[in-house]
């Protein structure tokens, strides 16, 4: 039986590959719906991009919802400098024709979880965690329904990518991330400590291009655009591909290594706002609330994406 998941996202070129990876894996994953949130670009663009990606994958029947247009407490910060004006620059996708679902994404998440069995739905978070933070506050009775929350965000050993201390997703809505890591359900974190080991190589990008399909062309175009920023920033041989690690972890947990540790989120200091403080060495008696992943088999990860995108 395939595992029911909800994707919460702000596409974003790396979100896009995560969405395509999930849509290409119906045997393992039952994608109940996609909820867009403001993050990389404002909400009207992220929800549009999510619909365009479902159409690209030939899955216009996928339910796409619009969630929150700004973080719980702080003003919205966006990342056009990374993703371009549209969020999916380089992809050249046509304007989608499939309809956005009329219900608010947070209400749909609550309704879907309330109807689900206990311990059954996995929440896959590729973005600031506003929608989930809001759902947990509005209807805490949904919590037992959650099997696991797997999120891309944070960074401890690698530091931050939007401030010296904070990773973008957690920085944009630290209050939501704080609610999520303390929610009491199993939480797995894929931080920059992992994704900075998952660097796209030219050879792999060329293989994506050689898929010779609309998905291959769009993925190649958007990733070529997306990596220019990180190549300049890090001076590495390839840019990190963050969000698909969440789906890869569900499909192939054997590609990852980590351990349970306490994670807390800084929500007070402006200097370190949104920092994910990991008690990796167990120097406090705070409970181990998060499965903190630290290593990835990068070759296996990129091979998995290539194989799955070829199915679309
Ligand atoms: C995260 O921030 C966004 O820019 C990416 O889509 C990813 O979710 C990486 O820090
Ligand atoms: Ca994202």
């Amino acid at each position: 039986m395939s595992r029911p998941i909800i994707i919460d996202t702000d596409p974003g070129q790396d979100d896009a590959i995560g969405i395509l990876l999930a849509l290409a894996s119906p045997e393992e994953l039952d994608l109940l719906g996609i909820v867009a949130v403001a993050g990389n670009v404002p909400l009207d663009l992220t929800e549009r991009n999510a619909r365009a990606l479902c159409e690209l994958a030939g899955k216009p029947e996928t339910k796409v919802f619009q969630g929150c247009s700004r973080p719980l407490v702080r003003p919205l910060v966006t990342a056009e400098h990374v993703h371009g004006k549209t969020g999916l620059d380089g992809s050249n996708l046509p304007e989608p024709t499939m309809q956005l679902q009329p219900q608010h994404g947070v209400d749909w998440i609550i309704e879907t979880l309330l109807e689900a069995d206990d311990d059954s739905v996995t929440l896959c978070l590729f973005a600031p965690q506003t929608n989930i933070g809001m759902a947990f506050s509005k209807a805490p009775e949904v919590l037992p329904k959650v099997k696991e929350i797997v999120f891309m965000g944070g960074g401890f050993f690698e530091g931050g990518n939007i401030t010296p201390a904070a990773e973008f997703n957690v920085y944009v809505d630290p209050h939501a991330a704080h609610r999520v890591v303390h929610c009491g359900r199993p939480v797995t974190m894929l931080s920059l400590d992992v994704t900075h080991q998952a660097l796209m190589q030219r050879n792999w990008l060329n293989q994506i291009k050689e898929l010779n399909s609309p998905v291959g062309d769009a993925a190649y175009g958007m990733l070529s655009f997306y990596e220019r920023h990180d190549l300049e920033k890090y001076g590495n041989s390839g840019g990190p591909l963050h969000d698909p690690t969440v789906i890869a972890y569900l499909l192939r947990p054997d590609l990852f290594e980590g351990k349970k540790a306490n994670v807390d989120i800084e929500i007070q200091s402006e200097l370190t706002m949104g920092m994910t403080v990991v008690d990796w060495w167990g120097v406090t008696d705070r409970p181990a609330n998060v499965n903190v992943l630290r290593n990835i088999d990068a070759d296996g990860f990129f091979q998995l994406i290539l194989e799955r995108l070829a199915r679309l």
Side-chain angles (χ1 to χ4, degrees):
M1 225 185 62
S2 57
R3 175 174 183 162
I5 66 167
I6 292 173
I7 292 181
D8 198 89
T9 180
D10 61 344
Q13 292 89 349
D14 60 324
D15 302 71
I17 304 299
I19 290 170
L20 294 172
L21 184 57
L23 288 171
S25 309
E27 279 175 19
E28 295 97 335
L29 304 175
D30 175 15
L31 180 56
L32 303 178
I34 298 176
V35 186
V37 69
N40 286 324
V41 287
L43 182 63
D44 57 330
L45 291 171
T46 59
E47 70 81 3
R48 172 208 169 273
N49 292 345
R51 287 185 291 125
L53 289 160
C54 293
E55 287 189 356
L56 173 68
K59 312 253 179 182
E61 68 283 5
T62 311
K63 289 183 182 164
V64 175
F65 298 83
Q66 189 170 269
C68 296
S69 61
R70 49 154 295 180
L72 296 181
V73 177
R74 291 169 62 83
L76 177 63
V77 175
T78 54
E80 285 85 357
H81 60 291
V82 182
H83 301 273
K85 225 176 151 121
T86 66
L88 281 189
D89 278 25
S91 64
N92 281 325
L93 293 182
E95 200 55 37
T97 56
M98 66 180 269
Q99 294 299 305
L100 183 68
Q101 297 291 318
Q103 195 177 11
H104 191 282
V106 170
D107 292 331
W108 175 75
I109 291 169
I110 292 172
E111 190 182 289
T112 304
L113 289 175
L114 287 178
E115 283 168 7
D117 292 337
D118 277 0
D119 202 19
S120 65
V121 179
T122 297
L123 305 176
C124 302
L125 313 186
F126 297 175
Q129 299 167 10
T130 316
N131 292 332
I132 303 301
M134 183 68 99
F136 288 175
S137 288
K138 206 173 168 197
E141 62 276 22
V142 301
L143 281 164
K145 313 294 184 153
V146 175
K147 178 180 171 67
E148 187 176 1
I149 297 159
V150 184
F151 77 91
M152 189 281 133
F156 188 65
F157 298 97
E158 285 287 304
N161 63 357
I162 185 80
T163 74
E167 178 279 332
F168 179 78
N169 289 338
V170 179
Y171 178 75
V172 174
D173 201 334
H175 299 88
H178 190 271
R179 271 180 211 170
V180 166
V181 300
H182 294 296
C183 76
R185 302 301 300 159
V187 178
T188 290
M189 171 163 110
L190 285 140
S191 73
L192 300 178
D193 301 335
V194 170
T195 64
H196 283 181
Q197 298 167 37
L199 303 179
M200 293 182 284
Q201 302 298 324
R202 231 336 96 182
N203 177 34
W204 178 80
L205 278 166
N206 289 337
Q207 286 177 289
I208 294 280
K209 190 175 182 192
E210 283 157 17
L211 291 176
N212 246 326
S213 64
V215 168
D217 291 348
Y220 179 79
M222 71 172 96
L223 292 176
S224 300
F225 174 89
Y226 163 77
E227 79 162 357
R228 94 225 171 279
H229 171 82
D230 286 330
L231 292 182
E232 240 171 66
K233 178 169 167 185
Y234 300 109
N236 286 329
S237 57
L241 192 53
H242 307 282
D243 295 329
T245 57
V246 170
I247 301 299
Y249 174 68
L250 298 183
L251 297 172
R252 290 281 310 277
D254 58 298
L255 296 176
F256 298 84
E257 280 174 359
K259 72 177 184 192
K260 285 196 79 180
N262 180 267
V263 176
D264 212 340
I265 311 287
E266 176 61 57
I267 50 173
Q268 282 174 4
S269 150
E270 272 307 320
L271 180 66
T272 53
M273 183 62 70
M275 183 176 182
T276 46
V277 179
V278 179
D279 185 7
W280 184 257
W281 301 117
V283 295
T284 69
D285 54 9
R286 297 197 287 259
N289 54 339
V290 175
N291 178 27
V292 180
L293 298 180
R294 196 149 169 211
N295 289 309
I296 179 170
D297 168 354
D299 289 345
F301 170 66
F302 285 109
Q303 195 53 38
L304 175 68
I305 296 175
L306 186 63
E307 268 168 27
R308 296 295 166 115
L309 294 196
R311 295 183 187 179
L312 290 173

